[in-house]
């Protein structure tokens, strides 16, 4: 697990839920690439309503036909690691918004697995 405290950068990528990369959800590709890059963590948040550069409102209201809801992928890590990851986003994000914010990590701790929750290779079981 990556150790992370103090000053950091928060990377937020705003895209549509229906955006894809090679026939799979774009948000999933971004999360998997962030994991492969060794970043501290990534989370995907699904919005209930929003609009972007196209000015088209996307909503989940019952009578609306829009299904392409807004999605935000948030990644927090050191400035060096986040900036090293940005070229991958240039490749992936054709439409959307990418922002960087300075932040301070107060606590970053994962759950310690019980001895029977891991297999011999150290992976957690379901």
């Amino acid at each position: 697990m990556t150790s992370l405290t103090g000053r950091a950068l928060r990377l937020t990528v705003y895209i549509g839920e229906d955006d894809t990369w090679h026939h799979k959800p774009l948000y999933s590709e971004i999360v998997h690439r962030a994991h492969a890059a060794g970043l501290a963590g990534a989370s995907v948040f699904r919005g209930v309503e929003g609009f972007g550069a196209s000015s088209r409102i996307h909503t989940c209201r019952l009578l609306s036909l829009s299904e392409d809801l807004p999605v935000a992928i948030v990644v927090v890590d050191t400035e060096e690691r986040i900036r090293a990851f940005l070229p991958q986003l240039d490749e992936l994000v054709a439409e959307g918004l990418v922002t960087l914010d300075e932040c301070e990590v107060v606590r970053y701790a994962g759950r310690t697995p019980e001895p029977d929750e891991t297999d011999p290779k150290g992976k957690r079981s379901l």
Side-chain angles (χ1 to χ4, degrees):
M1 180 174 83
T2 302
S3 175
L4 184 63
T5 57
R7 292 187 55 178
L9 275 185
R10 177 178 48 235
L11 165 68
T12 308
V13 182
Y14 300 92
I15 58 173
E17 182 179 37
D18 291 343
D19 293 347
T20 60
W21 177 259
H22 297 285
H23 309 291
K24 73 184 250 188
L26 177 57
Y27 60 83
S28 181
E29 181 68 17
I30 293 170
V31 167
H32 284 87
R33 287 196 186 195
H35 184 262
L39 296 177
S43 297
V44 178
F45 300 95
R46 184 177 188 227
V48 295
E49 189 167 35
F51 71 93
S54 68
S55 293
R56 184 168 162 239
I57 293 181
H58 303 270
T59 182
C60 68
R61 280 187 253 144
L62 201 55
L63 299 176
S64 173
L65 297 177
S66 175
E67 294 178 7
D68 188 23
L69 294 172
V71 172
I73 303 102
V74 179
V75 182
V76 176
D77 208 318
T78 64
E79 181 173 0
E80 179 182 358
R81 289 181 180 171
I82 292 289
R83 292 199 182 276
F85 185 67
L86 291 178
Q88 292 197 53
L89 294 179
D90 287 339
E91 175 188 357
L92 296 171
V93 180
E95 296 176 358
L97 175 66
V98 177
T99 64
L100 292 174
D101 301 293
E102 290 184 6
C103 63
E104 181 179 355
V105 175
V106 177
R107 179 174 168 83
Y108 177 67
R111 184 176 73 138
T112 305
E114 297 295 323
D116 62 337
E117 286 185 308
T118 57
D119 69 13
K121 295 178 184 174
K123 295 182 181 176
R124 289 188 50 207
S125 62
L126 297 177

